[in-house]
Amino acid sequence: MRLVTAALVALLALTGCSAAPQETPAAPLSGAAAPEQAGNLDDAAPPQRYVALGDSFTAAPLVPMTELETGCFRSDGNYPSLLADALGLRLTDVSCSGASTRDLVRRQSTVQQASAPPQLRVLDDRTDLVTVGIGGNDFGLFGGLVRTCLQLRSSDPTGAPCATSALGERLVSRIPDIGRNVERSLRRIEQRAPNARVILVGYPRIAPSDGACPRLLPFADGDVSFGDRVLRELDASLRGAADAAGVDYLDLYTASAGHDVCSARPWVNGRQTQPGVALAFHPLATGARATATLLEDLVARS
């Protein structure tokens, strides 16, 4: 999300830097099939070169060991790292907090005059697997939604001031455009990595479908369900983009039922940024692990 920048700048002094992009020749976890042991998958060798693209929901800022050099705040505990470990893949992770679909093809300005190169530059015909989680920052969707709903709560705590605001309505109206942006991005990925399997990863639930938890998600009561509606419509648009481009789609919205911010077992952090745990309103380690497991299952079904 674009709104992460101010919070992340304040955390620069709290965490050490590491090089980027992260490229890791990963070893399989105990019990995971090594590449040469993949005969049970129709005798097809599993992917060897894995590239992870995306925004902060891929990067998972502040889940321990977060990269700071480029301002992307990419964790080595994010789902790409866990998936690479599980499947023994060579990972190149260029996910970057704040990224939009435009930043896949252009240099992205991040924080403190840092920047990150276009993410698609790391793709080529040797790439075997690509995961991409993108779209929530297009047209300021997530940042505008969170800022507006937080700011307007005090004006009508039991109503839905965010949902009925001009900005709220405008943000929802741009969701189909986001789907089209993502579809174009998927086609660019396929052009640059023609031999790769491509998986578009959707977004998990943040708000519950009903109820409220103002301590963790301080929206007006009626805006909690509005936040859920935005995520639901965004993920439906992303699924449409994946179908149109002919790539796989990981439906995290459905998979994360019962794991919203207000639940007993959340996959996404609430309003409190916690270094070493997660940035506010961003994936927790539990969410990263769950996503990696779902992707591992999806890759195995190829």
Side-chain angles (χ1 to χ4, degrees):
M1 297 179 186
R2 298 284 181 193
L3 64 86
V4 305
T5 301
L8 290 171
V9 169
L11 294 165
L12 281 171
L14 300 179
T15 315
C17 295
S18 61
Q22 290 171 209
E23 185 168 350
T24 309
L29 296 177
S30 176
E36 62 272 18
Q37 297 173 321
N40 61 335
L41 297 180
D42 297 327
D43 295 323
Q48 297 298 299
R49 300 176 67 91
Y50 166 32
V51 172
L53 313 169
D55 58 25
S56 55
F57 270 72
T58 302
L62 303 189
V63 176
M65 295 301 293
T66 296
E67 176 273 334
L68 296 173
E69 182 177 327
T70 63
C72 285
F73 299 91
R74 186 170 46 245
S75 170
D76 67 356
N78 62 10
Y79 72 73
S81 297
L82 298 175
L83 180 65
D85 284 346
L87 296 182
L89 308 177
R90 185 176 183 87
L91 169 65
T92 301
D93 183 359
V94 292
S95 60
C96 192
S97 296
S100 69
T101 53
R102 289 191 299 173
D103 298 314
L104 296 175
V105 294
R106 69 169 190 182
R107 179 168 285 274
Q108 177 186 346
S109 297
T110 54
V111 296
Q112 294 191 336
Q113 299 182 329
S115 65
Q119 293 188 28
L120 296 195
R121 72 185 177 87
V122 299
L123 298 175
D124 58 32
D125 59 7
R126 299 170 299 166
T127 307
D128 297 293
L129 174 67
V130 178
T131 62
V132 54
I134 203 79
N137 293 316
D138 283 32
F139 307 110
L141 179 68
F142 279 175
L145 173 71
V146 172
R147 280 193 301 270
T148 302
C149 291
L150 291 177
Q151 291 169 356
L152 293 179
R153 181 181 188 276
S154 61
S155 67
D156 187 7
T158 61
C162 185
T164 57
S165 69
L167 179 59
E169 294 175 354
R170 185 164 65 250
L171 289 173
V172 171
S173 74
R174 301 311 299 265
I175 290 176
D177 297 323
I178 293 174
R180 286 185 280 272
N181 287 352
V182 172
E183 180 186 343
R184 284 192 292 270
S185 297
L186 292 172
R187 296 190 187 281
R188 290 187 177 113
I189 290 168
E190 292 182 301
Q191 290 171 357
R192 289 174 174 263
N195 300 316
R197 181 178 183 183
V198 180
I199 302 174
L200 177 63
V201 179
Y203 292 94
R205 297 175 192 237
I206 298 176
S209 299
D210 54 59
C213 60
R215 184 177 63 85
L216 298 171
L217 185 62
F219 288 5
D221 292 351
D223 284 333
V224 175
S225 59
F226 174 64
D228 179 61
R229 173 194 163 197
V230 170
L231 261 294
R232 185 172 64 251
E233 292 188 12
L234 174 61
D235 278 290
S237 186
L238 295 178
R239 178 186 287 279
D243 290 345
V247 308
D248 290 316
Y249 180 65
L250 180 62
D251 182 1
L252 279 187
Y253 180 84
T254 298
S256 59
H259 299 287
D260 57 76
V261 166
C262 298
S263 71
R265 298 175 297 164
W267 288 4
V268 176
N269 193 22
R271 67 180 296 182
Q272 186 66 47
T273 290
Q274 301 178 72
V277 177
L279 190 70
F281 305 122
H282 280 76
L284 294 159
T286 51
R289 288 195 298 268
T291 304
T293 298
L294 291 165
L295 282 168
E296 187 177 354
D297 291 344
L298 181 57
V299 170
R301 293 199 300 268
S302 61

